[in-house]
Amino acid sequence: MSDLIAGRNAVLEALKSGRNIDKINIQKTDGQYSGPIKRIISMAKEKKIPVYYSDKAHMDKTPNHQGVTAVASDFEYAQVEDMLQRAAERGEKPLLVILDGIEDPHNLGAIMRTAECAGAHGIIIPKRHSVSVNETVLKTSAGAAEYMLCARVTNIARTIDELKEAGLWIYACDMGDGLIYDQDMTGPMAVVIGSEGFGISRLVKEKCDFVVSIPMSGSINSLNASNAAAIFMYEAVRQRIAND
């Protein structure tokens, strides 16, 4: 669930309390920000909370905003280490899903549902330029969000480096030289799924060990992000079952 917090003091107190804030909206100005607004911007930067600047007409949709609003989530995000620990506790090789800039909450919810059914150990999303776990995600996941670990990280590329150091192979689901059916996905791994409009960012793709594709025979050359994630996860599941 998400709460909209309006007003300078209310947003400041939410920041001080350590509440999980998804984003902050600030009313645009021609001059410099000062007082509480300046402090809010500074605290958001320290906590790596995305700050967006909106015009007055947009801000005025929220009563008593005083130039600032925040969206806070009650969803408890996990750490990437929690996912690796879950895999170890189950005696399984890690299967993670990294979402590079997914903005549609329906896609995130559907991916969470598939990941839970497939036995994946966690989903990783970036803090910026990505949907967070909100009411739509929770509803679309059909309850899976209550069980699926989800981590928000500051830098996807850096997280990939850390996962590789932990022994995971990283697969980018994109147009590549090989097909997913020709890859060995029985080991510890993570699959990267790109955003709906722009795919996987260049830097993130360069960090991946493999760039592989799903075969396409129709007139449309791309799949919905949640469909692509489902195909990739269940190919990994199929291989692991066959390998047992």
Side-chain angles (χ1 to χ4, degrees):
M1 300 291 285
S2 297
D3 291 328
L4 182 63
I5 304 170
R8 300 173 186 179
N9 289 336
V11 173
L12 268 175
E13 290 304 318
L15 286 167
K16 290 177 185 177
S17 71
R19 190 170 179 189
N20 191 10
I21 295 178
D22 294 332
K23 65 178 180 179
I24 291 175
N25 287 309
I26 303 287
Q27 185 171 312
K28 291 179 182 177
T29 180
D30 294 330
Q32 298 291 319
Y33 293 101
S34 61
I37 298 292
K38 183 177 180 180
R39 188 177 178 194
I40 288 168
I41 294 171
S42 176
M43 291 178 70
K45 185 176 181 181
E46 289 177 8
K47 294 175 178 288
K48 296 181 171 57
I49 298 170
V51 176
Y52 299 91
Y53 296 89
S54 305
D55 57 33
K56 186 176 184 300
H58 176 79
M59 296 295 294
D60 285 345
K61 294 178 182 178
T62 303
N64 306 314
H65 59 78
Q66 297 177 312
V68 58
T69 62
V71 177
S73 173
D74 292 331
F75 180 80
E76 287 292 328
Y77 289 97
Q79 301 297 317
V80 175
E81 292 78 8
D82 299 330
M83 303 173 185
L84 302 181
Q85 180 62 31
R86 173 171 285 186
E89 290 172 352
R90 292 179 179 175
E92 299 169 347
K93 294 175 182 176
L95 173 57
L96 307 184
V97 182
I98 301 172
L99 304 180
D100 186 21
I102 298 294
E103 297 181 340
D104 184 347
H106 295 91
N107 267 337
L108 177 54
I111 291 169
M112 278 188 153
R113 185 174 185 177
T114 301
E116 171 60 22
C117 292
H121 303 103
I123 294 172
I124 300 169
I125 61 175
K127 289 184 177 180
R128 291 180 176 270
H129 309 300
S130 170
V131 66
S132 57
V133 181
N134 56 28
E135 291 182 51
T136 301
V137 172
L138 294 175
K139 183 176 181 180
T140 306
S141 78
E146 301 297 328
Y147 304 97
M148 176 52 51
L149 297 178
C150 182
R152 295 180 78 197
V153 299
T154 303
N155 189 302
I156 290 289
R158 187 180 305 129
T159 299
I160 287 175
D161 285 338
E162 293 168 355
L163 290 173
K164 289 166 79 171
E165 289 176 4
L168 275 70
W169 295 99
I170 313 298
Y171 297 79
C173 181
D174 204 349
M175 298 303 292
D177 294 332
L179 299 178
I180 61 169
Y181 307 120
D182 300 324
Q183 303 298 314
D184 181 356
M185 292 188 283
T186 58
M189 61 163 285
V191 56
V192 181
I193 305 294
S195 69
E196 298 88 349
F198 302 99
I200 301 172
S201 64
R202 179 187 58 80
L203 179 58
V204 169
K205 188 186 294 187
E206 289 175 354
K207 292 285 184 180
C208 296
D209 297 300
F210 307 99
V211 180
V212 294
S213 59
I214 297 170
M216 299 286 174
S217 300
S219 301
I220 299 174
N221 64 0
S222 64
L223 285 169
N224 173 280
S226 62
N227 292 335
I231 291 170
F232 222 107
M233 280 187 274
Y234 269 99
E235 174 59 18
V237 170
R238 184 194 68 79
Q239 290 188 20
R240 291 173 183 215
I241 291 173
N243 195 54
D244 285 343

